[in-house]
Amino acid sequence: MDTFSQALLSGKTDRIPDDYDWFAPLIGDWDCDYYDVAADGQKRHVKGEWIFRRILEGTGIQDIFIFPSRATKETAPQPDGEYGTSLRMFNKEKCCYDVVYTCDHVMKRLCFTKDGDKLVGKVLDEKATYWIFSGITGSSFRWEFVMIGDDGSEKLVCEITGKRIA
């Protein structure tokens, strides 16, 4: 391992209190299925991978978001595919996670809070856009991108289901 990886990656520490270590069950490697409706109106399914690790002396969790997966990008390319990363840093003053997601064409800032068994990320610069992790177990999870209409109705833009790689 090189010095950058050694400095970035870390194990669990007490920097995130156990009661707020909400993303811990996601740490690991995941095979994922992405579903949405393409611009032409066709339902679309894309295979992907999502990899989560603890970082920076245990103060945060970073992921790598790869859609389409490295194994399928040649056989099933997606012109709007994403290869991105999120940094999730625990904010001990507000008891939430400050998050930034970026890929080659966008950068978004979010604030994640816990609502029952869901982790809800409000996209800060978009009035009615949420990202939701739910159904998190040791072997699976669901992620949703939801938009709230002016009339209060919710629209599921896309969803991802993940299965842990053993």
Side-chain angles (χ1 to χ4, degrees), residues 119-140:
L119 303 179
V120 179
K122 171 72 177 101
V123 180
L124 299 178
D125 297 330
E126 298 172 17
K127 180 178 159 184
T129 303
Y130 299 88
W131 296 355
I132 301 168
F133 283 95
S134 63
I136 301 170
T137 70
S139 60
S140 65

Side-chain angles (χ1 to χ4, degrees), residues 46-49 66-74 76-83:
V46 179
K47 294 297 289 178
E49 27 184 334
I66 307 169
F67 287 81
S69 69
R70 291 171 288 175
T72 63
K73 71 180 182 177
E74 299 300 323
Q78 301 295 317
D80 61 345
E82 291 187 23
Y83 203 125

Side-chain angles (χ1 to χ4, degrees), residues 147-165:
M147 294 186 76
I148 309 297
D150 291 338
D151 63 357
S153 63
E154 293 187 359
K155 176 185 177 190
L156 180 63
V157 176
C158 64
E159 67 180 314
I160 296 170
T161 56
K163 292 186 175 126
R164 186 176 297 279
I165 299 172

Side-chain angles (χ1 to χ4, degrees), residues 2 8 23 50 56 58 106 116 128:
D2 67 30
L8 178 66
F23 291 97
W50 213 337
L56 303 174
V106 70

Side-chain angles (χ1 to χ4, degrees), residues 99-110:
V99 178
V100 63
Y101 171 75
T102 189
C103 63
D104 68 348
H105 63 277
V106 70
M107 182 173 281
K108 295 184 183 275
R109 292 176 342 137
L110 300 95

Side-chain angles (χ1 to χ4, degrees), residues 51-62:
I51 303 164
F52 293 78
R53 296 290 186 272
R54 289 193 187 273
I55 59 166
L56 303 174
E57 296 185 329
T59 60
I61 294 176
Q62 183 171 0

